[in-house]
Coordinates of all heavy atoms in Angstrom, one line a residue:
M109 N 63.2 -39.7 -8.8 CA 61.8 -39.1 -9.0 C 61.1 -38.9 -7.7 O 60.4 -37.9 -7.5 CB 60.9 -40.3 -9.7 CG 59.8 -39.7 -10.3 SD 59.4 -40.6 -11.8 CE 57.7 -41.0 -11.5
N110 N 61.5 -39.6 -6.5 CA 61.0 -39.3 -5.1 C 61.4 -38.0 -4.7 O 60.7 -37.4 -4.0 CB 61.4 -40.4 -4.2 CG 60.6 -41.6 -4.4 OD1 59.4 -41.6 -5.0 ND2 61.1 -42.8 -4.0
K111 N 62.7 -37.5 -5.0 CA 63.2 -36.3 -4.6 C 62.4 -35.1 -5.1 O 62.0 -34.2 -4.4 CB 64.7 -36.1 -4.9 CG 65.5 -37.0 -4.1 CD 67.0 -36.7 -4.4 CE 67.9 -37.6 -3.6 NZ 69.3 -37.4 -3.9
A112 N 62.0 -35.3 -6.4 CA 61.2 -34.3 -6.9 C 59.8 -34.1 -6.4 O 59.2 -33.1 -6.4 CB 61.1 -34.4 -8.5
Q113 N 59.2 -35.3 -5.9 CA 58.0 -35.3 -5.4 C 57.9 -35.1 -3.9 O 56.9 -34.9 -3.3 CB 57.2 -36.7 -5.7 CG 57.0 -36.9 -7.1 CD 56.5 -38.3 -7.3 OE1 56.5 -39.2 -6.5 NE2 55.9 -38.5 -8.5
G114 N 59.1 -35.1 -3.4 CA 59.3 -34.9 -1.9 C 58.9 -36.0 -1.0 O 58.8 -36.0 0.2
G115 N 58.7 -37.2 -1.6 CA 58.3 -38.5 -0.8 C 59.5 -39.4 -0.7 O 60.5 -39.2 -1.3
S116 N 59.3 -40.4 0.2 CA 60.3 -41.4 0.2 C 59.8 -42.7 0.1 O 58.5 -42.9 0.3 CB 61.1 -41.3 1.6 OG 60.2 -41.7 2.6
A117 N 60.5 -43.7 -0.3 CA 60.0 -45.1 -0.5 C 59.4 -45.6 0.7 O 58.5 -46.3 0.8 CB 61.1 -46.0 -1.1
S118 N 60.1 -45.4 1.9 CA 59.6 -46.0 3.2 C 58.3 -45.3 3.6 O 57.5 -45.9 4.2 CB 60.8 -45.7 4.2 OG 60.9 -44.5 4.5
H119 N 58.1 -44.1 3.3 CA 56.8 -43.4 3.6 C 55.7 -44.0 2.8 O 54.6 -44.2 3.3 CB 56.8 -41.9 3.4 CG 55.6 -41.2 3.7 ND1 55.0 -41.1 4.8 CD2 54.7 -40.6 2.8 CE1 54.0 -40.4 4.8 NE2 53.8 -40.2 3.6
N120 N 56.0 -44.2 1.5 CA 55.0 -44.8 0.6 C 54.6 -46.2 1.0 O 53.5 -46.6 0.9 CB 55.4 -44.8 -0.9 CG 55.5 -43.3 -1.3 OD1 54.8 -42.4 -0.8 ND2 56.3 -43.2 -2.4
T121 N 55.5 -47.0 1.4 CA 55.4 -48.3 1.8 C 54.5 -48.4 3.1 O 53.6 -49.3 3.2 CB 56.7 -49.1 2.2 OG1 57.6 -49.0 0.9 CG2 56.5 -50.5 2.5
A122 N 54.9 -47.5 4.1 CA 54.0 -47.5 5.3 C 52.5 -47.3 5.0 O 51.6 -47.8 5.5 CB 54.6 -46.4 6.3
A123 N 52.2 -46.3 4.0 CA 50.9 -46.0 3.6 C 50.3 -47.2 3.0 O 49.0 -47.5 3.4 CB 50.8 -44.9 2.7
T124 N 51.0 -48.0 2.3 CA 50.5 -49.2 1.6 C 50.1 -50.2 2.7 O 49.1 -50.9 2.6 CB 51.4 -49.8 0.7 OG1 51.6 -48.8 -0.4 CG2 50.9 -51.1 -0.1
N125 N 51.0 -50.5 3.7 CA 50.8 -51.4 4.6 C 49.6 -51.1 5.5 O 48.7 -52.1 6.0 CB 52.0 -51.4 5.7 CG 53.1 -52.2 5.0 OD1 53.0 -52.8 3.9 ND2 54.4 -52.0 5.6
T126 N 49.3 -49.9 5.8 CA 48.1 -49.4 6.6 C 46.8 -49.8 5.8 O 45.9 -50.3 6.5 CB 48.1 -47.9 6.8 OG1 49.3 -47.5 7.4 CG2 46.9 -47.4 7.6
N127 N 46.9 -49.6 4.6 CA 45.7 -50.1 3.8 C 45.4 -51.5 3.7 O 44.3 -52.0 3.7 CB 45.8 -49.4 2.3 CG 45.7 -47.9 2.3 OD1 45.2 -47.3 3.2 ND2 46.2 -47.3 1.2
T128 N 46.4 -52.3 3.7 CA 46.2 -53.7 3.5 C 45.9 -54.4 4.8 O 45.2 -55.4 4.8 CB 47.5 -54.4 2.9 OG1 48.7 -54.1 3.7 CG2 47.7 -53.9 1.6
T129 N 46.3 -53.8 5.9 CA 46.1 -54.5 7.2 C 44.6 -54.2 7.7 O 44.2 -55.0 8.4 CB 47.1 -54.1 8.2 OG1 47.1 -52.8 8.4 CG2 48.5 -54.6 7.9
S130 N 44.1 -53.2 7.3 CA 42.8 -52.8 7.8 C 41.6 -53.7 7.2 O 40.6 -54.0 7.8 CB 42.3 -51.3 7.3 OG 42.2 -51.3 6.0
S131 N 41.9 -54.4 6.1 CA 40.9 -55.4 5.5 C 41.1 -56.8 6.0 O 40.4 -57.7 5.5 CB 41.0 -55.2 4.0 OG 42.2 -55.7 3.5
S132 N 42.1 -57.1 6.6 CA 42.5 -58.5 7.0 C 41.9 -59.1 8.2 O 41.9 -60.3 8.4 CB 43.9 -58.8 7.1 OG 44.6 -58.0 8.1
G133 N 41.1 -58.3 9.1 CA 40.6 -58.7 10.3 C 39.4 -59.6 10.1 O 38.8 -59.6 8.9
G134 N 38.9 -60.1 11.1 CA 37.7 -60.9 11.2 C 36.4 -60.1 10.9 O 35.5 -60.4 10.3
G135 N 36.4 -58.9 11.5 CA 35.2 -57.9 11.4 C 34.0 -58.4 11.9 O 33.9 -59.5 12.4
G136 N 33.0 -57.6 11.8 CA 31.6 -58.0 12.3 C 30.7 -58.1 11.2 O 31.0 -58.1 10.0
G137 N 29.4 -58.4 11.5 CA 28.4 -58.5 10.4 C 28.4 -59.7 9.7 O 29.1 -60.7 10.1
L138 N 27.8 -59.7 8.5 CA 27.8 -60.9 7.7 C 29.1 -61.4 7.3 O 29.4 -62.6 7.3 CB 26.8 -60.8 6.6 CG 26.7 -61.9 5.6 CD1 26.1 -63.1 6.3 CD2 25.8 -61.5 4.3
M139 N 30.0 -60.5 6.7 CA 31.3 -60.8 6.2 C 32.2 -61.5 7.4 O 33.0 -62.3 7.1 CB 32.0 -59.7 5.6 CG 31.4 -59.3 4.2 SD 31.2 -60.6 3.0 CE 32.8 -60.9 2.6
G140 N 32.0 -60.9 8.6 CA 32.8 -61.4 9.6 C 32.5 -62.8 10.0 O 33.2 -63.6 10.3
K141 N 31.1 -63.1 9.9 CA 30.6 -64.4 10.3 C 31.1 -65.4 9.2 O 31.5 -66.5 9.5 CB 29.1 -64.4 10.4 CG 28.5 -63.7 11.6 CD 27.0 -63.7 11.6 CE 26.6 -62.8 12.8 NZ 25.2 -62.7 12.9
I142 N 31.0 -65.0 8.0 CA 31.5 -65.9 6.9 C 33.0 -66.1 7.1 O 33.4 -67.2 7.0 CB 31.2 -65.2 5.5 CG1 29.7 -65.2 5.2 CG2 32.0 -66.0 4.4 CD1 29.3 -64.4 4.0
N143 N 33.8 -65.2 7.4 CA 35.2 -65.2 7.5 C 35.5 -66.1 8.8 O 36.3 -67.0 8.6 CB 35.9 -63.9 7.8 CG 37.3 -64.1 8.0 OD1 38.1 -64.6 7.2 ND2 37.9 -63.4 9.1
N144 N 34.8 -66.0 9.8 CA 35.0 -66.9 11.0 C 34.6 -68.3 10.7 O 35.2 -69.2 11.2 CB 34.2 -66.3 12.2 CG 34.7 -65.1 12.8 OD1 35.9 -64.8 12.6 ND2 33.9 -64.3 13.4
S145 N 33.5 -68.5 9.9 CA 33.1 -69.8 9.6 C 34.1 -70.6 8.7 O 34.2 -71.8 8.7 CB 31.7 -69.9 8.9 OG 31.9 -69.4 7.7
M146 N 34.9 -69.8 8.0 CA 36.0 -70.4 7.1 C 37.3 -70.5 7.8 O 38.3 -71.0 7.2 CB 36.1 -69.6 5.9 CG 34.9 -69.4 5.0 SD 35.1 -68.3 3.6 CE 36.4 -69.1 2.6
G147 N 37.4 -70.3 9.1 CA 38.5 -70.5 9.9 C 39.3 -69.1 10.1 O 40.5 -69.3 10.5
G148 N 38.9 -68.1 9.8 CA 39.5 -66.8 10.0 C 39.2 -66.2 11.3 O 38.5 -66.8 12.2
G149 N 39.9 -65.0 11.6 CA 39.5 -64.3 12.9 C 40.3 -65.0 14.0 O 41.2 -65.7 13.9
Q150 N 39.8 -64.5 15.3 CA 40.4 -65.0 16.5 C 40.3 -66.5 16.7 O 41.3 -67.2 17.2 CB 39.8 -64.3 17.6 CG 40.0 -62.9 17.8 CD 41.5 -62.6 18.1 OE1 42.2 -63.4 18.8 NE2 42.1 -61.4 17.8
K151 N 39.1 -67.1 16.2 CA 39.0 -68.6 16.4 C 40.1 -69.3 15.6 O 40.7 -70.3 16.1 CB 37.6 -68.9 15.9 CG 37.3 -70.4 16.2 CD 35.9 -70.7 15.7 CE 35.5 -72.1 15.9 NZ 34.3 -72.5 15.4
G152 N 40.3 -68.8 14.4 CA 41.3 -69.6 13.6 C 42.8 -69.4 14.0 O 43.6 -70.2 14.0
E153 N 43.0 -68.2 14.8 CA 44.3 -68.0 15.4 C 44.7 -69.1 16.4 O 45.8 -69.5 16.6 CB 44.5 -66.7 15.9 CG 44.4 -65.5 15.0 CD 45.6 -65.5 14.0 OE1 46.7 -65.8 14.5 OE2 45.5 -65.1 12.9
H154 N 43.6 -69.6 17.2 CA 43.8 -70.6 18.3 C 44.1 -71.9 17.7 O 44.7 -72.8 18.5 CB 42.6 -70.7 19.2 CG 42.3 -69.4 19.9 ND1 43.1 -69.1 21.0 CD2 41.3 -68.5 19.8 CE1 42.7 -68.0 21.5 NE2 41.6 -67.6 20.9
N155 N 43.9 -72.2 16.4 CA 44.2 -73.5 15.8 C 45.6 -73.5 15.1 O 46.0 -74.4 14.6 CB 43.1 -73.8 14.7 CG 41.7 -74.0 15.3 OD1 41.6 -74.4 16.5 ND2 40.8 -73.6 14.6
E156 N 46.4 -72.5 15.3 CA 47.7 -72.4 14.6 C 48.7 -73.2 15.5 O 48.7 -73.2 16.8 CB 48.2 -70.9 14.5 CG 47.4 -70.2 13.5 CD 48.0 -68.8 13.3 OE1 48.6 -68.3 14.3 OE2 47.8 -68.2 12.2
D157 N 49.7 -73.8 14.8 CA 50.8 -74.5 15.6 C 51.9 -73.5 15.8 O 51.7 -72.3 15.2 CB 51.2 -75.7 14.9 CG 51.7 -75.5 13.3 OD1 52.5 -74.5 13.2 OD2 51.3 -76.3 12.5
A158 N 53.0 -73.8 16.4 CA 54.0 -73.0 16.7 C 54.7 -72.4 15.5 O 55.1 -71.3 15.4 CB 55.0 -73.7 17.5
L159 N 54.8 -73.2 14.5 CA 55.5 -72.6 13.3 C 54.6 -71.6 12.6 O 55.1 -70.6 12.0 CB 55.7 -73.8 12.2 CG 56.4 -73.4 10.9 CD1 57.8 -72.7 11.2 CD2 56.7 -74.6 10.1
D160 N 53.2 -71.8 12.5 CA 52.4 -70.8 12.0 C 52.5 -69.5 12.8 O 52.5 -68.4 12.3 CB 50.9 -71.3 12.1 CG 50.6 -72.6 11.1 OD1 51.3 -72.5 10.1 OD2 49.8 -73.2 11.4
K161 N 52.6 -69.5 14.2 CA 52.7 -68.5 15.0 C 54.1 -67.8 14.7 O 54.2 -66.5 14.8 CB 52.6 -68.8 16.4 CG 51.1 -69.2 16.8 CD 51.1 -69.6 18.3 CE 49.8 -70.1 18.7 NZ 48.6 -69.3 18.4
G162 N 55.1 -68.6 14.4 CA 56.3 -68.0 14.1 C 56.3 -67.2 12.7 O 57.0 -66.2 12.7
V163 N 55.6 -67.7 11.8 CA 55.4 -67.1 10.4 C 54.8 -65.7 10.8 O 55.1 -64.7 10.2 CB 54.5 -68.0 9.6 CG1 54.2 -67.1 8.3 CG2 55.4 -69.1 9.1
D164 N 53.7 -65.7 11.6 CA 53.0 -64.5 11.9 C 54.0 -63.5 12.7 O 53.9 -62.4 12.3 CB 51.9 -64.8 13.0 CG 50.6 -65.3 12.2 OD1 50.5 -65.3 11.0 OD2 49.7 -65.8 12.9
Y165 N 54.8 -64.0 13.5 CA 55.8 -63.2 14.2 C 56.7 -62.4 13.2 O 57.0 -61.2 13.3 CB 56.6 -63.9 15.2 CG 57.6 -63.1 16.0 CD1 57.2 -62.4 17.1 CD2 58.9 -62.9 15.5 CE1 58.1 -61.6 17.8 CE2 59.8 -62.1 16.2 CZ 59.4 -61.5 17.4 OH 60.3 -60.7 18.2
V166 N 57.3 -63.1 12.3 CA 58.1 -62.6 11.3 C 57.4 -61.6 10.4 O 58.0 -60.5 10.1 CB 58.7 -63.8 10.4 CG1 59.5 -63.2 9.2 CG2 59.7 -64.6 11.2
Q167 N 56.2 -62.0 10.0 CA 55.4 -60.9 9.3 C 55.1 -59.6 10.0 O 55.3 -58.6 9.5 CB 54.1 -61.6 8.8 CG 54.3 -62.6 7.7 CD 52.9 -63.3 7.5 OE1 52.0 -63.3 8.2 NE2 52.9 -64.0 6.2
E168 N 54.9 -59.8 11.3 CA 54.5 -58.6 12.1 C 55.7 -57.7 12.5 O 55.8 -56.6 12.3 CB 53.7 -58.9 13.3 CG 53.3 -57.8 14.1 CD 52.4 -58.2 15.3 OE1 51.9 -59.4 15.4 OE2 52.1 -57.3 16.1
H169 N 56.8 -58.4 12.9 CA 58.0 -57.8 13.6 C 59.0 -57.6 12.7 O 59.9 -56.5 12.9 CB 58.4 -58.4 14.8 CG 57.3 -58.5 15.8 ND1 56.9 -57.3 16.6 CD2 56.5 -59.5 16.3 CE1 56.0 -57.7 17.5 NE2 55.7 -58.9 17.3
I170 N 59.2 -58.2 11.6 CA 60.3 -58.1 10.7 C 60.0 -57.5 9.4 O 60.5 -56.4 8.9 CB 61.1 -59.4 10.5 CG1 61.7 -59.9 11.8 CG2 62.2 -59.3 9.4 CD1 62.3 -61.3 11.7
F171 N 58.8 -58.0 8.8 CA 58.3 -57.5 7.6 C 57.4 -56.2 7.8 O 56.9 -55.6 6.9 CB 57.7 -58.4 6.7 CG 58.6 -59.5 6.3 CD1 58.3 -60.9 6.2 CD2 59.8 -59.2 5.8 CE1 59.1 -61.8 5.8 CE2 60.7 -60.2 5.4 CZ 60.4 -61.5 5.4
H172 N 57.1 -55.9 9.1 CA 56.1 -54.9 9.4 C 54.8 -54.9 8.7 O 54.4 -53.9 8.1 CB 56.8 -53.5 9.3 CG 58.1 -53.5 10.1 ND1 58.2 -53.3 11.4 CD2 59.3 -53.5 9.6 CE1 59.4 -53.4 11.8 NE2 60.2 -53.3 10.9
K173 N 54.2 -56.0 8.6 CA 52.9 -56.1 8.0 C 51.7 -56.0 8.8 O 50.5 -56.5 8.4 CB 52.8 -57.5 7.3 CG 53.8 -57.8 6.3 CD 53.5 -56.9 5.0 CE 54.5 -57.2 3.9 NZ 54.4 -56.2 2.8
G174 N 51.8 -55.4 10.0 CA 50.7 -55.0 10.9 C 50.4 -56.3 11.8 O 51.0 -57.4 11.7
P175 N 49.5 -56.1 12.6 CA 49.0 -57.2 13.6 C 48.6 -58.4 12.9 O 47.9 -58.3 11.9 CB 48.0 -56.4 14.4 CG 48.0 -55.0 14.2 CD 48.7 -54.9 12.9
Q176 N 49.1 -59.5 13.5 CA 48.7 -60.8 12.8 C 47.8 -61.7 13.7 O 47.6 -62.9 13.6 CB 49.9 -61.6 12.5 CG 50.9 -60.9 11.7 CD 50.6 -60.7 10.3 OE1 50.1 -61.8 9.7 NE2 50.5 -59.7 9.7
N177 N 47.1 -60.9 14.7 CA 46.3 -61.7 15.6 C 44.8 -61.9 15.4 O 44.1 -62.4 16.0 CB 46.5 -61.0 17.0 CG 45.9 -59.6 17.0 OD1 45.5 -59.1 16.0 ND2 45.9 -59.0 18.2
N178 N 44.4 -61.3 14.1 CA 43.0 -61.4 13.7 C 43.0 -61.5 12.2 O 42.3 -60.7 11.5 CB 42.2 -60.3 14.2 CG 40.7 -60.4 14.1 OD1 40.2 -61.7 13.9 ND2 40.0 -59.4 14.1
E179 N 43.7 -62.4 11.6 CA 43.7 -62.6 10.2 C 42.6 -63.2 9.6 O 41.8 -63.9 10.2 CB 45.1 -63.4 9.8 CG 46.4 -62.8 10.2 CD 47.5 -63.8 9.9 OE1 47.4 -64.9 10.2 OE2 48.4 -63.3 9.1
S180 N 42.3 -62.8 8.4 CA 41.3 -63.3 7.5 C 41.6 -64.9 7.2 O 42.8 -65.4 7.4 CB 41.0 -62.6 6.1 OG 42.1 -62.8 5.3
A181 N 40.7 -65.6 6.8 CA 40.7 -67.0 6.4 C 41.8 -67.1 5.3 O 42.6 -68.0 5.3 CB 39.4 -67.7 6.0
V182 N 41.8 -66.1 4.3 CA 42.7 -66.1 3.2 C 44.2 -66.0 3.7 O 45.1 -66.7 3.3 CB 42.4 -65.1 2.3 CG1 43.4 -65.0 1.1 CG2 41.0 -65.4 1.5
E183 N 44.3 -65.0 4.7 CA 45.7 -64.7 5.2 C 46.2 -66.1 5.9 O 47.4 -66.3 5.8 CB 45.7 -63.6 6.0 CG 45.6 -62.2 5.3 CD 46.8 -61.9 4.5 OE1 47.9 -62.3 4.9 OE2 46.7 -61.4 3.4
Q184 N 45.3 -66.6 6.7 CA 45.7 -67.8 7.4 C 46.1 -69.0 6.5 O 47.0 -69.7 6.8 CB 44.7 -68.2 8.4 CG 44.6 -67.3 9.6 CD 43.5 -67.6 10.7 OE1 42.9 -68.7 10.5 NE2 43.4 -66.7 11.7
A185 N 45.4 -69.1 5.4 CA 45.7 -70.1 4.4 C 47.1 -69.8 3.8 O 47.9 -70.7 3.6 CB 44.7 -70.1 3.3
K186 N 47.4 -68.6 3.6 CA 48.8 -68.1 3.0 C 49.8 -68.6 4.0 O 50.9 -69.1 3.7 CB 48.8 -66.6 2.7 CG 48.1 -66.2 1.5 CD 48.3 -64.7 1.3 CE 47.3 -64.1 0.5 NZ 47.5 -62.6 0.3
D187 N 49.6 -68.3 5.3 CA 50.5 -68.6 6.4 C 50.7 -70.1 6.4 O 51.8 -70.6 6.6 CB 50.0 -68.1 7.7 CG 50.1 -66.5 7.8 OD1 50.6 -65.9 6.9 OD2 49.6 -66.0 8.9
E188 N 49.7 -70.8 6.3 CA 49.7 -72.3 6.3 C 50.6 -72.8 5.1 O 51.4 -73.7 5.2 CB 48.4 -72.9 6.2 CG 48.4 -74.4 6.4 CD 48.9 -75.0 7.8 OE1 48.8 -74.2 8.7 OE2 49.5 -76.1 7.7
Q189 N 50.5 -72.2 4.0 CA 51.3 -72.6 2.7 C 52.7 -72.3 3.0 O 53.7 -73.0 2.6 CB 50.8 -71.8 1.5 CG 49.4 -72.3 1.0 CD 49.0 -71.6 -0.3 OE1 49.4 -70.5 -0.5 NE2 48.1 -72.2 -1.0
I190 N 52.9 -71.1 3.7 CA 54.3 -70.9 4.0 C 55.0 -71.8 5.0 O 56.0 -72.4 4.8 CB 54.5 -69.3 4.6 CG1 54.1 -68.3 3.5 CG2 55.8 -69.1 5.0 CD1 53.9 -67.0 4.0
S191 N 54.3 -72.1 6.0 CA 54.7 -73.1 7.0 C 54.9 -74.5 6.4 O 56.0 -75.1 6.7 CB 53.9 -73.1 8.2 OG 52.6 -73.6 7.9
D192 N 54.0 -74.9 5.5 CA 54.2 -76.1 4.8 C 55.5 -76.2 3.9 O 56.2 -77.2 3.8 CB 53.0 -76.5 3.9 CG 51.7 -76.8 4.7 OD1 51.9 -77.1 6.0 OD2 50.6 -76.8 4.2
A193 N 55.7 -75.0 3.3 CA 56.9 -74.9 2.3 C 58.2 -75.0 3.4 O 59.2 -75.6 2.9 CB 57.0 -73.6 1.6
I194 N 58.2 -74.4 4.5 CA 59.3 -74.5 5.4 C 59.4 -76.0 5.8 O 60.6 -76.5 5.9 CB 59.0 -73.6 6.6 CG1 59.1 -72.1 6.3 CG2 60.0 -73.9 7.8 CD1 58.6 -71.2 7.3
R195 N 58.4 -76.6 6.1 CA 58.4 -78.1 6.5 C 59.1 -79.0 5.5 O 60.0 -79.8 5.7 CB 57.1 -78.7 6.9 CG 56.6 -78.1 8.2 CD 55.1 -78.6 8.4 NE 54.4 -77.9 9.4 CZ 54.5 -77.8 10.7 NH1 55.5 -78.6 11.1 NH2 53.8 -77.1 11.5
R196 N 58.6 -78.7 4.1 CA 59.2 -79.4 3.0 C 60.7 -79.2 2.9 O 61.4 -80.1 2.6 CB 58.5 -79.1 1.8 CG 57.0 -79.8 1.7 CD 56.4 -79.6 0.3 NE 56.4 -78.3 -0.2 CZ 55.3 -77.4 0.1 NH1 54.4 -77.9 0.7 NH2 55.4 -76.2 -0.4
G197 N 61.1 -77.9 3.0 CA 62.4 -77.6 2.8 C 63.3 -78.2 4.0 O 64.5 -78.6 3.7
Y198 N 62.9 -78.3 5.1 CA 63.5 -78.8 6.3 C 63.7 -80.3 6.0 O 64.8 -80.8 6.2 CB 62.8 -78.6 7.6 CG 63.5 -79.0 8.8 CD1 64.4 -78.2 9.5 CD2 63.2 -80.4 9.2 CE1 65.0 -78.8 10.6 CE2 63.9 -80.8 10.3 CZ 64.8 -79.9 11.2 OH 65.3 -80.5 12.1
K199 N 62.6 -80.9 5.6 CA 62.7 -82.4 5.4 C 63.6 -82.7 4.2 O 64.5 -83.7 4.2 CB 61.4 -83.0 5.1 CG 61.4 -84.5 5.0 CD 60.0 -85.1 5.0 CE 60.1 -86.6 5.0 NZ 58.8 -87.3 5.0
S200 N 63.5 -81.9 3.1 CA 64.5 -82.2 2.0 C 66.0 -82.0 2.3 O 66.9 -82.6 1.7 CB 64.2 -81.4 0.7 OG 64.4 -80.0 0.9
T201 N 66.2 -81.0 3.2 CA 67.6 -80.7 3.6 C 68.2 -81.7 4.7 O 69.3 -82.1 4.6 CB 67.7 -79.2 4.1 OG1 67.1 -78.4 3.2 CG2 69.0 -78.9 4.6
T202 N 67.3 -82.0 5.7 CA 67.9 -82.8 6.8 C 67.4 -84.3 6.7 O 68.1 -85.1 7.3 CB 67.3 -82.3 8.1 OG1 65.9 -82.4 8.1 CG2 67.7 -80.9 8.3
G203 N 66.4 -84.6 5.9 CA 65.8 -86.0 5.8 C 64.9 -86.4 6.9 O 64.5 -87.4 7.0
K204 N 64.7 -85.3 7.8 CA 63.8 -85.5 9.1 C 62.7 -84.7 8.9 O 62.6 -83.6 8.3 CB 64.7 -85.3 10.3 CG 65.9 -86.1 10.5 CD 66.6 -85.8 11.8 CE 67.9 -86.6 11.8 NZ 68.6 -86.2 13.1
E205 N 61.6 -85.1 9.7 CA 60.4 -84.2 9.8 C 60.8 -83.1 10.6 O 61.6 -83.0 11.6 CB 59.3 -85.0 10.5 CG 58.7 -86.2 9.6 CD 58.0 -85.7 8.4 OE1 57.4 -84.7 8.4 OE2 58.0 -86.5 7.4
F206 N 60.0 -81.9 10.4 CA 60.2 -80.7 11.2 C 59.7 -81.1 12.7 O 58.8 -81.8 12.8 CB 59.3 -79.6 10.6 CG 59.6 -78.3 11.1 CD1 60.7 -77.6 10.6 CD2 58.8 -77.7 12.1 CE1 61.0 -76.3 11.1 CE2 59.2 -76.4 12.6 CZ 60.3 -75.7 12.1
P207 N 60.4 -80.5 13.6 CA 60.2 -80.9 15.0 C 58.8 -80.5 15.6 O 58.4 -81.1 16.6 CB 61.3 -80.2 15.8 CG 62.0 -79.5 14.9 CD 61.6 -79.8 13.5
V208 N 58.2 -79.5 15.0 CA 56.9 -79.1 15.5 C 55.8 -79.8 14.6 O 55.8 -79.5 13.4 CB 56.8 -77.6 15.4 CG1 55.4 -77.1 15.9 CG2 57.8 -76.9 16.3
K209 N 54.8 -80.4 15.2 CA 53.8 -81.1 14.5 C 52.9 -80.1 13.8 O 52.5 -79.1 14.5 CB 53.1 -82.1 15.3 CG 53.9 -83.2 15.9 CD 54.3 -84.2 14.8 CE 55.1 -85.2 15.4 NZ 55.8 -86.0 14.4
D210 N 52.3 -80.5 12.7 CA 51.4 -79.5 12.0 C 50.0 -79.9 12.6 O 49.6 -80.9 12.7 CB 51.4 -79.8 10.6 CG 50.7 -78.7 9.7 OD1 50.2 -77.7 10.2 OD2 50.7 -78.9 8.5
K211 N 49.3 -78.7 13.0 CA 47.9 -78.9 13.6 C 46.8 -79.1 12.4 O 45.8 -79.7 12.7 CB 47.5 -77.7 14.3 CG 48.0 -77.7 15.8 CD 47.3 -76.6 16.5 CE 47.7 -76.6 17.9 NZ 47.0 -75.6 18.7
S212 N 47.1 -78.7 11.2 CA 46.2 -78.8 10.1 C 46.1 -80.1 9.4 O 46.9 -80.9 9.2 CB 46.5 -77.9 9.0 OG 46.6 -76.5 9.6

């Protein structure tokens, strides 16, 4: 079906990524202030531990989800859930705590 339309799956995915990353920043105005007060934006990025930063790196450079340096509070909460799942998996596999302490 893509051949008939002249498009490709990778082109359509890139357009989708552009739309989703534009709404994830801290922004200005009232919504930006609300987001920042909930732990989003640049201020929230400073509170991330090394594992959270690693999750951001994978999302940006491997999954190509756009810049991860000014995420909304919701996006940062998702990243924290991912890093918590990694910690639980590590502990259940090795029996030891993950070597990087959680800041949250």
Side-chain angles (χ1 to χ4, degrees):
M109 202 150 126
N110 281 337
K111 288 183 180 179
Q113 294 175 346
S116 69
S118 63
H119 176 67
N120 293 338
T121 303
T124 302
N125 287 344
T126 303
N127 292 337
T128 58
T129 56
S130 64
S131 64
S132 65
L138 180 62
M139 291 306 290
K141 289 178 183 177
I142 292 171
N143 182 50
N144 288 336
S145 70
M146 294 178 64
Q150 291 290 332
K151 184 178 179 183
E153 294 293 330
H154 291 293
N155 294 331
E156 290 184 335
D157 58 44
L159 183 56
D160 294 329
K161 291 182 188 295
V163 169
D164 283 344
Y165 181 87
V166 169
Q167 289 174 337
E168 183 172 351
H169 297 286
I170 296 175
F171 296 137
H172 304 289
K173 295 294 183 183
Q176 302 290 309
N177 61 351
N178 192 20
E179 295 178 304
S180 69
V182 173
E183 285 295 320
Q184 289 182 3
K186 286 183 198 176
D187 291 352
E188 185 62 31
Q189 288 180 339
I190 292 168
S191 66
D192 289 346
I194 292 170
R195 289 176 199 284
R196 283 191 305 272
Y198 183 87
K199 185 171 184 176
S200 70
T201 302
T202 65
K204 299 177 182 179
E205 293 292 328
F206 195 78
V208 177
K209 299 291 180 194
D210 194 0
K211 279 190 173 181
S212 305

